[in-house]
Amino acid sequence: MDKMLMPAPKPVWMSWPRGSGWWLLLVMALAILASGYLGALLAVRPLLGELATRPPVLIIDSAAALRGLPATQVGPAIIRQRDLARRLADGGVLVLDPQAVVAAPAGLFLRTAPPPAELRGRP
């Protein structure tokens, strides 16, 4: 009967002095954040090294873009293609011509839209 009247023992966290547990939670939260940041940094470091030594590659098929153009529009179209290639190269992209490529995945080819009707000489 005496055991039934005894209060239940307090949990450990309730025996700490009031107000002293917030700093422990803060330290734990900061440790979790720091370990997550450090883990992500260590996981990404090899990838950043690979990206620095291997630029992105793009293959531009100029011949396909010039098909169907009248002779008067070929010069300006070539100038636009070269300008596009220069801008991509300035952005860190390696630009290739399909004649220089033996084999490549289809995703590396830049798909060009057919020229508008006014450039093809059609009304």
Side-chain angles (χ1 to χ4, degrees):
M1 191 85 167
D2 289 337
K3 288 185 179 181
M4 292 179 92
L5 297 177
M6 287 182 49
K10 288 184 179 179
V12 174
W13 64 270
M14 290 184 80
S15 63
W16 293 343
R18 288 217 177 247
S20 65
W22 67 269
W23 65 270
L24 182 61
L25 292 175
L26 180 65
V27 169
M28 287 174 50
L30 291 175
I32 290 169
L33 289 174
S35 66
Y37 176 77
L38 183 63
L41 183 67
L42 291 175
V44 170
R45 184 176 286 167
L47 180 62
L48 292 176
E50 289 292 322
L51 287 176
T53 59
R54 296 181 190 177
V57 177
L58 189 63
I59 303 168
I60 297 180
D61 191 0
S62 299
L66 298 176
R67 274 190 212 113
L69 285 178
T72 58
Q73 295 296 325
V74 170
I78 290 174
I79 291 171
R80 282 194 306 273
Q81 290 283 332
R82 287 185 181 162
D83 182 49
L84 174 65
R86 268 192 225 103
R87 285 186 285 144
L88 287 169
D90 290 343
V93 177
L94 176 63
V95 181
L96 298 175
D97 189 66
Q99 286 77 25
V101 177
V102 176
L108 291 180
F109 285 88
L110 177 64
R111 304 288 177 217
T112 56
E118 62 270 5
L119 292 180
R120 288 189 300 241
R122 296 181 191 152

